[in-house]
Amino acid sequence: MPPTLRSSIHGRKAVQQPESPEQIDNEDEDEDMQSDHEMISSEMEDDMIEDDYNDAPVQSSAQELLRPLQETADRVSRQVEEFSQAFDRFREKSKKLSGQQLWEETWKLMDTYATIASKSAGRVQATSADSKHAQKKRKSLGVTNAQKENLLLESDLWNLTLELLPCKSPHLLEDAHHAQNSALVELHRYSTNDEIWKAFMEVDPVANEYEALLEWLQERKRKTSPALKDVDLDLYDKSGRGDGLWEGGNIYTQAPIKRQKVTRAHPGPLDPAEDMRTIHFRKADSEPLVTQMDPDAALRQDAMLEVEDELFESSAWHASWELLRRGSSPEQYRNWWQDRNELWRALLLRNSSVQNDPAINKAWLRIVNLASNRELAKLCRELADSRDLATDYENAVYGILSGSYSAAAPVCKSVDDHLYSLINSLLIERYDQFIFAYHERLETPALQDFIPSPSTSREISNYVQSSQTDKTTKAEAHQPHKYFQSALMSGDLAHFFLEMGHAAAQMAHLTGQSKTLFDNDETQVSECAQVAAQDEDVIRMAAHLQLALQPLGLLDQAYEENASVMENNIINYLGLLEQHAKYSLLPLYASKVSAQRQPRVLGRILSKVTVPKERDTQMRLMKSYGIPVYRVIYTICDYTRRSWAMKLNDRGEALKAAKIIEYKDKIVRVRTGFIGEMHDDEQALVVQAHEWVNYIDMKNWGMACWLMTALYKTLLLSGKLAAAKSLSTRVELAQTSLKVTGMNLSLAAMVAETPDEDGDAEVGGDATEDGHNRLAGPNKRRKESKPSHLLAKETTNRSALAEQSLVWAHLELLVQAMDTLEYWQDLADSVDTLPRNDPKTTKTAKKELGQTLQAVHSAMQPLLDHGFLSSAMDEQEDHDLRHIREHYLPECVLGYNSALYFGGHAITRQHLVQCMELAQQIAQNETLIGAFVASKRMQELVTAFAHDSQALLRANEHGTSSMRGRSGKRSSLGGERGGRADIWQVQWTADKDQ
C-alpha cells in the first residue's frame, strides 16, 4: 500500500513506463507464446524485407496485410484474459476483507491493471519498428499512431487511478481529520516552506488529489512531447536568432540604446525623458523604444522593443510556459536559461527561494515557496491579470505561478493544458488558505485547528462539460480515452458511470449490437458518452473500474438510485465478451449483475452456445459463481422461443397448422413428405437452445416440462413439424428425465411399470399419495391439492414428476406418430419403383410394409387413449391443446386409417378388420369424437369407414387367398383384378390439399 500521505515531498509510486522490447522478451513463456498465424506472418515479413517489395509473392503480401488485424485481435484477447484473471483473484480475496485491507487490495488490483496495460503498450511499441512497406500496409488498414497512443494513454490512466485511490481511502481521511485538530500547533515563525507544505498536505485530502492530478499531467506532457527546442517555439524563426543558442538577450534593441549613449556620451543608463521619444523610436512603426534593458523596462516605460526582440520575448515566455507545463525541475530551468544567458527567468519560475532538502520534489518549489514569498505571489497575480503585457504567454506564466486559470487559459491548446492550469489554480487557492491560517495563527497562538474548504472539483467537472462543446477542444474531448480521463480527473465517477450506462443502452438499440441485453433508454446524454460506450477499450476500463470501486462503497448512492443503469456498464462488457467469443468469462462478470438481470443477460447470450462441452463449462462456472442455473436455462429457452414466434407472427406465418392428409380420387391418403427436413437456421437454433433443459435440476423439473411443452405447442400450431420432429429426437423425454431426475418419466415407461414398482420409485418428500390418486387427471389433482401451479411444485415423487411430464409426453407421442405416418407413406410410395415381376422383391416389400405398419399402429395407440392431450395445466394451455387436438388428431386418425386401408389391400385383409376396430375405438372415445365434431370432420371419418367396409366385404367375398383391388380388376401378378392384392398397381402421388 502506498504511504497514507500523498505529498510529493515524501514521494510516491513511480509512474510505470511501457516496457522495452528487451523486458518483454523476458516475460513468462506462456505470455510470450505466439500463435501459428503470428509466427508465419513474421517469417513472411522477414522474407519480404530481403526481397524487392514489388516482386513479393501475393500470398506474402496478403499475410502482411492481415497481420495488423491479427495483432489487434491477439492484443484485445490477451488483455481481456489478463484483466479477467486479475479481477477473479481480487473477487475471491475481497470476500474476506473489509476496511483498510479492502482498500489496499483494491489498490493492488489497480496496480495489476496498470501493469497489464503497460505490457500491452510495450508490445505495441516492440512491434511498431516494422519495415516501411509493412507500415504502409498497416496504414492502409487504418492502423494509426492514434491507436498506439491510446494504448499508452490507457497505461497512464490506470496509473492515475493508482495515484488517486489513496486520496479517497478512509485511512487517509481519518488521519487528515485528526491532523486538522492540531494542524498549526507544530508550525512556528521559523518553519521552512517544505514544513508548511507538508502540514498542508496532511490536513487536506483534496489537495493530495490535486497534487496527484498535476503530477500526472506533467508526466504525460513529458512523455508525449519531444524535447523542447528553440525551433519548436512560436515566432522563434522570425526573431533573427538563427538555429543557435539565444545569446545577448534583446540584441536588436541594445544596438540603438548603445548608439544613443555614444552620441550623448552618456556614461550610465539613459534617462527615459520625454525628449527621448522623439529621437529614440522603432523605424518599423515609429513607436518609442525602451532606454534600458531590464526585464520590466517595456512595461515601466510604456515603450517598445524592436520587432525581432519582441518576437524573441514572445518565444522566451513560450519556453517558460513549456518548462512549467512539463513540470521541469529547478535544475532543468537553470540549465535551459543559462545556456541562453537568461538565468533570471529560471529564478522566476521557481519563485526564488533556496531549498536544499533532497527529499523535496523540485518540480513543486514554485508552489512550496509561496509560503515565504507572499509579495512575489501578489505581484505575479497582478501581472497575470495585466492587459499591458506584450504576449499571452507572459500572462500565462504569471498565471501558473500565482494560480490564475483565466490568465493561462488563452495559451492552452489542449484539454490537458486547460486541466493543468485549472487544477494548478485550485491547488494554489487551497494552499493560500492554509498559508493565511498559518499567518493568522502566528498572530493568535490560540488558533490550533484548520478545516479545509469543501472540495472544488465541481469546477473541473464544469470545465469538462464545456470542453465537449468548445470548438477548440471538442474533437479531443470526444475521444473515448479522453472522456474516461476527464471523468477520473473531475472525480465525479458516479456521473460518468451513469452517463455511460445510459449511453450503452441507447447505442445498443441504435446500432442493433447487443440490443437484446438492454431495455431502450431515452435519457439524454452527451455525445462523448455515446462514442465512449462503443469503444472496446473504454468499455473494458469502465467496467473494471466500476467493479473495483463498488465494494469500497464509493458508488453506493448511484447504485441505490440507478442500479439498473450502473449495471449497464457491466452488461455492455458482457456483450463485448460475446462479440469476442469469450464465453468462459461470462459467468464471472454476470455474477456481479443483480439477480433479476443475470438470467436475462446470460440466457440471451448462452442461447447461442450449442457445443455440449462448452455448455458443461458454463454450467460448472455458473454454479461456482452462485448464479441460479435454472433461471438462466428458463431464459435461454423462453427467449429463443418467444423471439422466433414473434418473427413468425411478423411474417404472417404463425398459427397455421400443417396438413397431414390429402385426397386422391376421393380416397384419403397421407401427404408425402408432409414433415420434410428442417433447413431453417432460426428453427434449428430454437431447438438446440432447448437442449439446455438437460442441465436443469430435479427441483425445477416442472419448469423443464413447461419450456418443452411451450415450444412443442408453438411448433405444432405454426406447422413447423420438421422442427418438432428434431425436438423430439434431440430432447427426448425418456433420456432427459433419466438424466435430470434419475427416472424414466416417458409415458411408455410409466405404463410398463406396476403400481407397486411405481410406489417404490419415490426419492422422498412427497411420497404419500395413493396409487389411484397418482393416475388421476391433473384437473382433479389440482382441486385436491394446494392451489399452486403443478409445474411450479418442487417434488421428488415419481408420480408427481410423471404428472408434470404428461403434456410433454403426449406432445412428443403426437410428433412421433406423425413421423411414423410420414415414413410409412414414403415407403408406400417407393413400391412403384421396384421390379414388378420379381417374387423375391414382392415378398421383401410386403414384409417391410408390414413391419412399418405395425410401427404406425404402435405409435398411434397412445393417441387413441381417452383424455389424450386433455391434461392442461392452466387455461391458456387448455386453449392451445384444444386447437392441437382438433386439428392434428383428426388428421392423424384419418392418416392411420388410410395406412390400414392400404395395408388391407397390399399386405393382408386383417388390416381392413383393424379399420373396423379403429371405428369402434373412436366411437367409445369422447376426446376423439369431440375433436372430429369441433373440427367439422366427422363426415370425412364416416366416409373413410364406409370405404373400409366396402373393401372388407369385397375381400371376404373372394376369400383369404386372393384379395381384389379397389377397381375389381385382375392384377398383373395373375388372376382377375380385384381377386388378389396388387401392390404394384398402387401409385399414389402427392397432390394438392383437398
Side-chain angles (χ1 to χ4, degrees), residues 658-676 721 814-830 852-853 856-857 860 888-903 918 937 940 944 966 986-994:
K659 289 286 187 179
I660 297 177
I661 62 171
E662 62 182 1
Y663 285 84
K664 184 69 173 180
D665 297 332
K666 298 182 180 181
I667 301 297
V668 67
R669 66 184 295 275
V670 178
R671 290 171 60 90
T672 301
F674 68 90
I675 294 180
L721 300 185
L814 174 63
V815 173
Q816 291 173 351
M818 289 189 286
D819 184 32
T820 56
L821 286 172
E822 183 191 46
Y823 181 77
W824 156 265
Q825 191 60 50
D826 289 342
L827 183 62
D829 290 342
S830 68
T852 304
L853 188 54
V856 172
H857 174 74
M860 284 296 302
Y888 285 105
L889 287 186
E891 292 274 319
C892 288
V893 169
L894 292 171
Y896 175 43
N897 181 74
S898 73
L900 294 175
Y901 184 89
F902 183 89
L918 175 62
R937 306 191 70 172
E940 296 179 53
R966 298 180 187 181
V986 181
Q987 298 182 17
W988 292 352
T989 58
D991 200 0
K992 64 182 179 179
D993 296 344
Q994 298 294 321

Side-chain angles (χ1 to χ4, degrees), residues 152-153 156 216-225:
L152 295 172
L153 178 55
D156 291 338
W216 185 86
L217 287 167
Q218 291 176 166
E219 179 65 21
R220 274 289 298 172
K221 182 67 173 180
R222 288 193 295 269
K223 288 172 58 176
T224 58
S225 300

Side-chain angles (χ1 to χ4, degrees), residues 955-985:
N956 289 333
E957 289 176 1
H958 294 283
T960 59
S961 61
S962 62
M963 295 179 63
R964 295 183 179 273
R966 298 180 187 181
S967 63
K969 299 179 181 179
R970 184 176 295 276
S971 72
S972 60
L973 293 178
E976 183 183 358
R977 291 196 175 214
R980 55 179 292 176
D982 186 0
I983 65 175
W984 314 119
Q985 296 302 314

